[in-house]
Amino acid sequence: MSQSDMKSIAVIGSGLIGRSWAMVFASGGYSVKIYDNQPGQAVNAIAEIRKQLQELEEAHMLRGELSAAQQLALLSSYDDLAQALEGAFFVQECVFEELKVKQSIFQDIERLVGKEVILSSSTSCLVPSSVFSTVHNKSRCLVSHPVNPPYYVKLVELVPHPETAATVMDTTHAVMTKVGQVPVCLRREIDGFALNRVQAAIIAESWRLVQDGVISVKDIDLVMSEGLGMRYAFIGPMETMHLNAPEGLEDYMKRYGDGIARVLTSFGPVPDFKGEGAKRINHEMCELIPSDQEHLLARKERRDQLLMGLAKLKKDHSNTSRNQTLEHQ
Ligand code: NAD
């Protein structure tokens, strides 16, 4: 496929994630065709995006080189699947997280697009071999799993089907990089991909520590937000270890490997997240943040504001690093 054929992306499903993808792709200059099977939903999505783009522009947080008006002009909405797919070289599916719904929409999409078109799913929890089981040509299929909210959290996990062609992974990696996301490639599919597996490990041990009365809900959250999270916004666990011993990772494992293995063997069984223990944890959480809509919405807004600030800090930080590298060349 030549570069001139790679201008238009179809976003299928215009809920929370579909709208975010549309904004991300438009920020990279792609023309984005949004389809939703609920009549009027795709039009509403564009109205919502218009509002968000204006707010982002005012806050100097708009992504990409184009103005809000230019990005908006790249978006169009469709209640007809075939029209939305016409001319698209890449399809990002964002429908409900239900296997049957995804299998059915991909069957419909495959009937309507050419052989070269890349079929990408936003699924959080379904492996590609399930999502694409109804597609004949699986070599052009993959999962591109975003993190909410994708506009500020740029990671996207690219997960291949066992038959996915290497060129499809490469093209998707290039598209995601062009729009400013940070793609990572899994070499094979696995339940939970990478991000949710790591997240599950953190949730499980946090849960056990609270359930066993070792620490409060409030304090375990501080362990992450004021402790581990401070580093992890910039460097991952591998680099953290590499930097935390005088001679790097090997030295770190010589010093601390046995201790880590000992702690790991004391981690108790997988929690069931149910019953009296779960009720107690929920009660403790709700005393900090009541679970009514008013409180939850206020905290979600605060979370997004904080993420916006962090995204800006990371952007400034990477610009500074780039300039320093150029100065040393
Ligand atoms: P959502 O419920 O907000 O939106 C889904 C949209 O898909 C709705 O507008 C619905 O009308 C539309 N839809 C449903 N069936 C359709 C069909 N057959 N054809 C066309 N449109 C259809 O859901 P969401 O939160 O945007 O999630 C979408 C996908 O993204 C899911 O697979 C989810 O797992 C994944 N995801 C979500 C998050 C998150 O935090 N919300 C994060 C990463 C990935």
Side-chain angles (χ1 to χ4, degrees), residues 118-119 128-129 132 137-143 158-170 172 186-187 189:
I118 295 177
L119 307 186
S129 53
F132 298 109
N137 172 9
K138 298 175 172 73
S139 67
R140 38 83 160 259
C141 298
L142 81 165
V143 164
L158 306 185
V159 188
H161 182 280
E163 294 172 31
T164 305
T167 50
V168 168
M169 294 295 280
D170 292 347
T172 307
L186 272 67
R187 296 201 181 99
E189 65 176 31

Side-chain angles (χ1 to χ4, degrees), residues 130-179:
S130 306
V131 173
F132 298 109
S133 63
T134 56
V135 174
H136 291 295
N137 172 9
K138 298 175 172 73
S139 67
R140 38 83 160 259
C141 298
L142 81 165
V143 164
S144 303
H145 172 229
V147 187
N148 194 35
Y151 205 79
Y152 306 120
V153 185
K154 295 179 177 171
L155 184 85
V156 51
E157 293 181 284
L158 306 185
V159 188
H161 182 280
E163 294 172 31
T164 305
T167 50
V168 168
M169 294 295 280
D170 292 347
T171 304
T172 307
H173 194 279
V175 169
M176 294 298 172
T177 306
K178 181 175 171 207
V179 299

